[in-house]
Amino acid sequence: KRYGTVTPITCVSLLRRYAGHGETKLGDTFERSTHIVRKTLNLDIDIKHFDWHHKTKSGMDSTVRELWVLVARTFRKNGISAGEMQYDAASGDPVQIQNIRMQRGIVRWNCLDSLDRTNLSNFFTSWQVVAEMCRTLGLNQHKALQYDGTIPDTPEPPWPCMHQTMEEVKQYYSAYTLSNLAHLFINNGDLCAYLYTASPAL
């Protein structure tokens, strides 16, 4: 309901994908279930496979780059929500909210019991999402983040970092922003790990 009458849902499975491994069977079950849900509930749902452990054998840089390429088309199609909000100076309560554009789909990460795989994939794709948020607001990460409360009519081209390397994307961000983003996901990983396993994330 939030994103439209028929919201496109893309599931990205991070499970291992090679013959004989138990996770492969679960991945196949995910895929069959997706087809059943699409047919019986008439949902626009799809699944993409990304064997995180196998990919990381060739290095984190290439793994993250492949992950960005995998979701690039979906992210561009879905976009992000954006709007403007005015607050009452005295109370701090919102007095006017205007939606300028709405996100048109959802991407969900699926795994087995590896919170680290899920959190890492979310963290690295968040680089792209935050870059797109900053672009939409007309913010330059290497200048003072002075947002005037309005969204520019003609910002730079969308998803400016989607086909760049990790090192190139790092140059897009200030060290302060990237460090805080990393700490956000470290804390998120620890919180989820405590809830599920009663111990911090690796």
Side-chain angles (χ1 to χ4, degrees):
K1 291 181 178 179
R2 176 176 296 178
Y3 301 113
T5 305
V6 180
T7 301
I9 302 171
T10 302
C11 300
V12 180
S13 172
L14 304 171
L15 297 170
R16 300 174 195 265
R17 295 289 290 173
Y18 59 86
H21 197 282
E23 289 189 8
T24 303
K25 295 180 180 179
L26 182 57
D28 292 340
T29 302
F30 276 164
E31 185 151 8
R32 287 194 300 272
S33 300
T34 300
H35 294 315
I36 293 171
V37 169
R38 183 190 303 125
K39 184 176 180 179
T40 57
L41 300 181
N42 194 30
L43 290 180
D44 184 357
I45 186 170
D46 189 24
I47 186 168
K48 299 178 184 294
H49 296 281
F50 191 85
D51 185 338
W52 180 271
H53 281 308
H54 177 72
K55 299 288 186 184
T56 52
K57 291 179 180 179
S58 59
M60 188 60 71
D61 287 358
S62 61
T63 300
V64 173
R65 185 78 183 275
E66 282 191 59
L67 182 64
W68 289 344
V69 170
L70 179 72
V71 299
R73 184 176 180 182
T74 302
F75 275 29
R76 283 199 167 98
K77 181 180 178 181
N78 290 351
I80 62 171
S81 296
E84 297 177 355
M85 183 181 296
Q86 294 181 0
Y87 290 88
D88 180 85
S91 67
D93 295 329
V95 294
Q96 183 177 352
I97 300 175
Q98 178 185 5
N99 291 324
I100 296 177
R101 66 179 68 97
M102 290 295 292
Q103 182 177 322
R104 298 180 296 276
I106 300 169
V107 176
R108 173 188 168 83
W109 308 98
N110 290 70
C111 202
L112 180 59
D113 56 358
S114 176
L115 297 171
D116 299 306
R117 272 184 279 183
T118 307
N119 205 41
L120 278 170
S121 58
N122 272 284
F123 169 62
F124 285 118
T125 49
S126 78
W127 290 21
Q128 298 293 342
V129 176
V130 173
E132 175 63 3
M133 289 177 175
C134 292
R135 180 203 69 84
T136 300
L137 296 174
L139 298 175
N140 186 322
Q141 285 295 301
H142 292 287
K143 297 179 181 178
L145 297 182
Q146 297 175 346
Y147 177 51
D148 63 6
T150 61
I151 294 178
D153 294 329
T154 56
E156 62 179 304
W159 300 97
C161 302
M162 189 58 80
H163 292 290
Q164 296 181 352
T165 65
M166 282 183 66
E167 287 303 316
E168 289 170 336
V169 177
K170 286 179 182 178
Q171 299 305 312
Y172 182 87
Y173 284 106
S174 67
Y176 174 83
T177 302
L178 205 54
S179 174
N180 278 276
L181 193 60
H183 279 95
L184 176 69
F185 277 89
I186 290 171
N187 292 334
N188 176 69
D190 284 339
L191 177 59
C192 290
Y194 274 117
L195 289 173
Y196 285 98
T197 68
S199 63
L202 296 178

